[in-house]
Amino acid sequence: MAAAQLEEVLAYADAAQKAVSRTDRACRMRVQRLIAEAHQLSGWMLFDRGSVSLAEKAFATARQSAEQADALDLLAFIGGPNSAFMSIWSGDPAGGAERAYGALAWARRSGNRRLAAFVSTMAARAHARMGEAELCTQMLVQAEAELSRHHKDEPDPVWLEVFDEAALAGHRGSCLLDLGQPGQAVDSLREQASVSAPIFVRNRTIWLLEQGEAQLRMGQFEAAATSVEQAINAVGSGAITPRVLRMFRSIGLKLNGCPDPAVTTTNARLARFIAACA
């Protein structure tokens, strides 16, 4: 989850941009795609650091390079799981929905069903944040249908590996939590945890914390404490970004208001963890 290589990534991207005009068209298209991927990645790193305005600029640069490379899939990825999600997370779900639906057109044109499912899921997240349950359900159903049509033997970009059946279950859980359905949210989040790949530490941590929040809402204090403990264990001794740390602080405030002694030990461990990460 650390972004220690951000400056290095941008330096290579800038150097490639200066040299790309001297290559033939085939090479130029490949390099422009790599430049777009570099700026997309830097934008996500910046968002994870809490620098939304700088992330917006990075995504804009990524889109420009993706257009020059005629990379429809990258345009969809930047517009949906990146820009749209950032809008939703930052308190503008209506803007996130607009971006997601715009990205969905690019995803469909790219022909990648898995990508279309990912972008549809972002639209569902936006609708859930706005309390639009019916529209959210429609987009989740569409995402499931698209993902079911994806052939696993088809090659995908590396950045699309983060989205699969487990991730869809996690996002569904987030939607249900936003819609005020904590019981169903826990079911989906547990489904995610049972089959998710261990390499996606950020997602696993966030969804464990959301599972803990859902359990707190239902008065399941001991289960919530277990979920928070698992989230801390998921991070381990690795670095943690400001966006994820904010979620730990949020659940910490909720635990502080919990009257059940079952959470006392977890609350103390969480306070030490937050202090060490600050």
Side-chain angles (χ1 to χ4, degrees), residues 229 232 255-256 263-274:
E229 293 274 0
I232 297 172
L255 286 176
N256 282 333
V263 306
T264 302
T265 301
T266 298
N267 207 9
R269 184 188 176 195
L270 179 60
R272 294 192 298 271
F273 174 80
I274 292 171

Side-chain angles (χ1 to χ4, degrees), residues 3-277:
Q5 285 74 42
L6 173 59
E7 287 74 18
E8 184 177 0
V9 168
L10 289 176
Y12 277 113
D14 290 342
Q17 188 65 62
K18 292 174 182 175
V20 70
S21 62
R22 299 194 295 271
T23 64
D24 60 53
R25 186 180 185 281
C27 180
R28 186 163 61 250
M29 297 289 276
R30 292 197 301 272
V31 175
Q32 283 293 168
R33 182 182 177 91
L34 289 171
I35 292 170
E37 290 178 339
H39 285 291
Q40 174 274 319
L41 178 59
S42 68
W44 187 262
M45 290 177 179
L46 289 163
F47 164 54
D48 227 27
R49 287 182 176 183
S51 303
V52 173
S53 60
L54 292 177
E56 287 278 17
K57 293 179 181 178
F59 289 144
T61 303
R63 280 193 296 271
Q64 183 178 23
S65 293
E67 287 172 357
Q68 292 171 354
D70 198 23
L72 302 182
D73 57 344
L74 258 179
L75 285 167
F77 185 62
I78 296 162
N82 289 267
S83 295
F85 183 77
M86 184 171 68
S87 294
I88 298 164
W89 187 278
S90 303
D92 181 20
E98 183 178 342
R99 287 179 164 183
Y101 281 110
L104 190 53
W106 293 114
R108 286 172 173 160
R109 286 185 61 195
S110 76
N112 190 310
R113 298 283 196 174
R114 185 179 185 181
L115 179 58
F118 200 179
V119 177
S120 297
T121 303
M122 293 301 103
R125 292 292 302 265
H127 289 306
R129 191 59 60 90
M130 291 186 285
E132 298 171 346
E134 185 175 349
L135 289 170
C136 173
T137 300
Q138 288 177 11
M139 295 312 296
L140 285 174
V141 169
Q142 181 172 305
E144 291 168 2
E146 291 283 11
L147 193 57
S148 70
R149 296 187 186 103
H150 176 72
H151 298 292
K152 294 184 178 180
D153 56 346
E154 293 177 357
D156 280 318
V158 173
W159 40 258
L160 195 50
E161 291 177 2
V162 73
F163 186 79
D164 55 13
E165 288 83 357
L168 179 54
H171 285 293
R172 187 190 307 112
S174 297
C175 288
L176 291 165
L177 185 62
D178 283 341
L179 290 170
Q181 301 174 35
Q184 294 180 54
V186 168
D187 291 340
S188 284
L189 293 168
R190 282 177 174 161
E191 179 186 343
Q192 180 277 143
S194 67
V195 294
S196 64
I199 61 171
F200 300 119
V201 178
R202 181 195 292 103
N203 284 354
R204 185 175 180 83
T205 303
I206 288 173
W207 282 323
L208 280 167
L209 292 174
E210 289 191 341
Q211 180 174 301
E213 181 178 343
Q215 290 161 331
L216 282 177
R217 291 188 192 181
M218 294 187 291
Q220 299 175 357
F221 303 120
E222 191 170 348
T226 299
S227 294
V228 174
E229 293 274 0
Q230 290 173 342
I232 297 172
N233 294 338
V235 174
S237 58
I240 185 170
T241 59
R243 182 168 70 96
V244 179
L245 181 58
R246 191 176 81 177
M247 289 203 65
F248 275 106
R249 285 178 171 148
S250 176
I251 198 73
L253 291 173
K254 295 177 176 69
L255 286 176
N256 282 333
C258 177
D260 196 300
V263 306
T264 302
T265 301
T266 298
N267 207 9
R269 184 188 176 195
L270 179 60
R272 294 192 298 271
F273 174 80
I274 292 171
C277 292

